[in-house]
């Protein structure tokens, strides 16, 4: 699975429309990321940019995504992360605009690594402040919402990061549907979520 295939798939789903969001994979000495300002439908392998942790371009002729700092900080903080997907998927982004995360209303919340999916504090897109705000929201987790912005998901592979980003959108939609119906979600207890995590571990779902 390639960065371009992933970006185009998420674009087609409306999760990364045209030029929004970004995708990266870890490489030796840094990471490879989608470029800034280029529609995913037009991307070629030569458009991808290899970036060092300090933002200097190692290879490529285009500017890296404006969110390269977000990727750099996550890779630095999470050595197990091999890929990152950042989307603007509609339902999760809508929830992020209320600056609300996802509580344990469904057992699939555990796919992100904990009892909830947090919403990071707001910061302007493309800034170091945004990158740093995501780190505590991701502590013990593999995904978070970015306030008034979107979703970030990481994984030990590109497929894992994409799958998680898709699931966060699915969960956000279910949660918003419950709220719209004026139903009070019955939250799973810490013990119930621990049992889910143990069950997932047995099936390798969290790898």
């Amino acid at each position: 699975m390639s960065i371009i295939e992933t970006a185009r798939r998420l674009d087609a789903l409306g999760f990364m429309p045209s030029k929004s969001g970004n995708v990266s994979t870890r490489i030796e000495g840094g990471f490879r990321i989608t470029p800034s300002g280029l529609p995913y439908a037009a991307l070629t392998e030569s458009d991808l940019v290899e970036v060092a942790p300090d933002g200097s371009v190692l290879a490529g002729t285009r500017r890296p995504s404006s969110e390269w700092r977000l990727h750099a900080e996550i890779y630095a903080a999470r050595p197990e992360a091999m890929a990152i997907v950042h989307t603007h998927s509609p339902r999760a982004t809508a929830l992020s605009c209320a600056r609300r995360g996802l509580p344990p209303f469904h057992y699939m919340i555990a796919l992100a690594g904990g009892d909830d999916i947090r919403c990071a504090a707001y910061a302007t897109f493309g800034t170091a402040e945004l990158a740093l705000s995501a780190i505590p929201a991701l502590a013990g987790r593999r995904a978070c919402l970015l306030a008034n912005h979107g979703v970030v998901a990481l994984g030990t592979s590109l497929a894992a990061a994409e799958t998680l980003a898709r699931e966060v959108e699915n969960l956000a939609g279910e949660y918003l549907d419950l709220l719209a119906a004026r139903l009070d979600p019955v939250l799973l207890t810490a013990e119930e979520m621990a049992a889910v995590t143990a069950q997932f571990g047995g099936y390798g779902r969290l790898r």
Side-chain angles (χ1 to χ4, degrees), residues 7-168:
R8 286 180 178 166
R9 228 179 352 259
L10 293 171
D11 181 10
L13 288 170
F15 290 10
M16 290 172 49
S18 181
K19 297 180 279 189
S20 67
N22 29 77
V23 178
S24 75
T25 55
R26 189 191 292 270
I27 60 171
E28 186 174 355
F31 54 95
R32 181 178 292 110
I33 192 168
T34 47
S36 177
L38 189 66
Y40 297 119
L43 273 187
T44 66
E45 287 294 327
S46 64
D47 294 316
L48 300 179
V49 189
E50 295 185 4
V51 184
D54 65 358
S56 57
V57 173
L58 301 173
T61 59
R62 295 190 178 274
R63 287 185 297 115
S65 167
S66 61
E67 297 294 2
W68 68 264
R69 294 175 184 83
L70 176 67
H71 295 250
E73 290 292 342
I74 293 172
Y75 285 127
R78 302 293 292 271
E80 80 280 14
M82 299 304 292
I84 297 168
V85 170
H86 166 44
T87 73
H88 293 180
S89 56
R91 307 303 295 281
T93 299
L95 188 59
S96 84
C97 291
R99 302 191 183 181
R100 295 178 64 170
L102 286 160
F105 76 100
H106 192 289
Y107 76 88
M108 286 296 282
I109 291 287
L111 194 66
D115 292 350
D116 61 4
I117 296 173
R118 306 181 186 109
C119 184
Y122 178 76
T124 304
F125 82 94
T127 62
E129 289 77 15
L130 174 65
L132 293 173
S133 76
I135 300 304
L138 284 169
R141 306 289 187 271
R142 286 180 288 274
C144 72
L145 305 186
L146 303 174
N148 303 84
H149 190 150
V151 177
V152 62
L154 59 94
T156 56
S157 68
L158 191 51
E162 179 186 350
T163 296
L164 182 53
R166 286 171 176 254
E167 187 56 38
V168 172

